[in-house]
Amino acid sequence: MKNIKRIAVKVGSSTLTHENGKINIKNVDHLSKVLSDVLNMGIEVVLVSSGAIAAGFSRLGLSEKPKELRIKQASAAVGQGALLYMYEKFFSEYGHSVAQILLNKKDVENEHRSENLTNTFNTLLEYGIVPIVNENDSVAVDEILIGDNDNLSATVATLIKADLLILFTDIDGLYDSDPHKNANAKLISEVRDIDSVMHLAGDATSNRGTGGMVTKLEAAKHCMDNGINMVIANGSDPDVIYSILKGERIGTLFIADRE
Ligand code: GLU
């Protein structure tokens, strides 16, 4: 964990919103504060933030996350703005500025477009701005959909050559069996061989996010294949970033073979 100069952090809908679809102000504030401090430590930060659909549906008067595509897309359009407004407010309170980057598969698959995107990221980081990334959910259709922000964050971490990707979620990391079903499930603190843990993914998802462990392990594989370390940690207390940066063992660390 030495010499970390650039990190990507992914935070999920269930951390950023309450179950009723309102923004979890305490969590957004706390995350913005810690990341601002990380910037003050001289480390560049890219934030991949979910939560657009989750923060939008209550503003459409709905009581739960919609299933129909057009309503999801409308929710995302409303929620994305609401979230960015909160990030802008909190980051600026702590002395920093944010930028919004919304993208789809085509932007990262096409060589010319992804090169252009990488230049945009690098330029923002050079200027000390925090790029806040999400999928462009309001215009995404199947053919151009990445679909989940775990995979999106691994792609972004690879494009910007991050030293570390931190995936925040609502459990402490990867367990050797489903902790919701088995009280004796043990947290796995370190993974070097991703293929040996893929079967532990299960199918657990929260009602607001889309990912679960499957996409987190896909993200880990993507990162490790590209020489990037990744941590899965509990996002309920973003202060753990300080410990992670100090090299303390928090959550599950996926160690890439960098040779
Ligand atoms: N892009 C989606 C949103 O902002 C979330 C995708 C995910 O949870 O992985 O609502």
Side-chain angles (χ1 to χ4, degrees):
M1 288 292 167
K2 288 213 178 81
N3 296 325
I4 289 184
K5 299 254 179 318
R6 180 175 283 192
I7 61 170
V9 176
K10 183 260 170 174
V11 62
S13 303
S14 57
T15 304
L16 298 167
T17 58
H18 295 290
E19 209 155 335
N20 61 7
K22 304 281 185 198
I23 291 179
N24 187 323
I25 293 175
K26 182 167 166 245
N27 284 357
V28 178
D29 182 12
H30 194 171
L31 178 71
S32 306
K33 184 174 181 176
V34 174
L35 293 181
S36 295
D37 204 19
V38 170
L39 288 162
N40 286 355
M41 289 156 64
I43 296 171
E44 294 170 333
V45 177
V46 171
L47 176 62
V48 178
S49 172
S50 301
I53 299 171
F57 70 75
S58 67
R59 290 171 188 241
L60 300 184
L62 305 172
S63 56
E64 59 182 33
K65 190 174 162 183
K67 295 192 175 59
E68 203 183 323
L69 181 64
R70 71 186 181 94
I71 305 180
K72 274 201 226 173
Q73 296 194 302
S75 293
V78 175
Q80 181 66 26
L83 266 178
L84 248 287
Y85 173 75
M86 296 306 274
Y87 281 126
E88 174 64 36
K89 176 179 152 55
F90 288 122
F91 272 95
S92 66
E93 204 166 284
Y94 301 116
H96 293 281
S97 298
V98 301
Q100 171 175 265
I101 298 200
L102 299 178
L103 42 87
N104 292 127
K105 207 181 213 166
K106 284 202 170 136
D107 303 312
V108 294
E109 272 185 358
N110 175 290
E111 200 180 324
H112 175 66
R113 282 166 81 155
S114 75
E115 205 179 293
N116 188 56
L117 179 62
T118 308
N119 288 339
T120 306
F121 275 121
N122 286 334
T123 305
L124 288 165
L125 293 170
E126 206 176 289
Y127 282 95
I129 310 288
V130 182
I132 300 186
V133 187
N134 196 357
E135 181 139 32
N136 196 355
D137 295 309
S138 300
V139 300
V141 286
D142 278 353
E143 308 83 74
I144 57 163
L145 198 69
I146 297 170
D148 71 87
N149 279 3
D150 296 326
N151 279 295
L152 173 65
S153 62
T155 301
V156 168
T158 305
L159 286 181
I160 63 162
K161 296 190 169 55
D163 299 307
L164 176 70
L165 168 64
I166 301 174
L167 278 194
F168 276 137
T169 181
D170 47 14
I171 58 169
D172 289 346
L174 178 67
Y175 284 82
D176 62 358
S177 62
D178 186 346
H180 298 113
K181 293 184 189 138
N182 177 5
N184 297 319
K186 286 201 180 53
L187 184 73
I188 299 173
S189 68
E190 187 179 300
V191 173
R192 285 175 191 272
D193 175 10
I194 185 71
D195 293 327
S196 69
V197 297
M198 286 313 264
H199 68 285
L200 297 174
D203 57 2
T205 53
S206 77
N207 65 340
R208 276 160 293 147
T210 49
M213 268 303 157
V214 178
T215 50
K216 287 180 180 57
L217 294 183
E218 286 169 3
K221 188 167 172 47
H222 186 123
C223 283
M224 290 166 88
D225 286 348
N226 287 284
I228 296 168
N229 290 343
M230 190 186 105
V231 174
I232 298 178
N234 198 320
S236 62
D237 180 11
D239 279 353
V240 295
I241 293 184
Y242 294 112
S243 311
I244 292 170
L245 292 175
K246 270 194 241 151
E248 286 168 33
R249 201 45 68 82
I250 303 286
T252 305
L253 171 65
F254 297 82
I255 303 174
D257 187 356
R258 287 176 168 166
E259 284 167 61

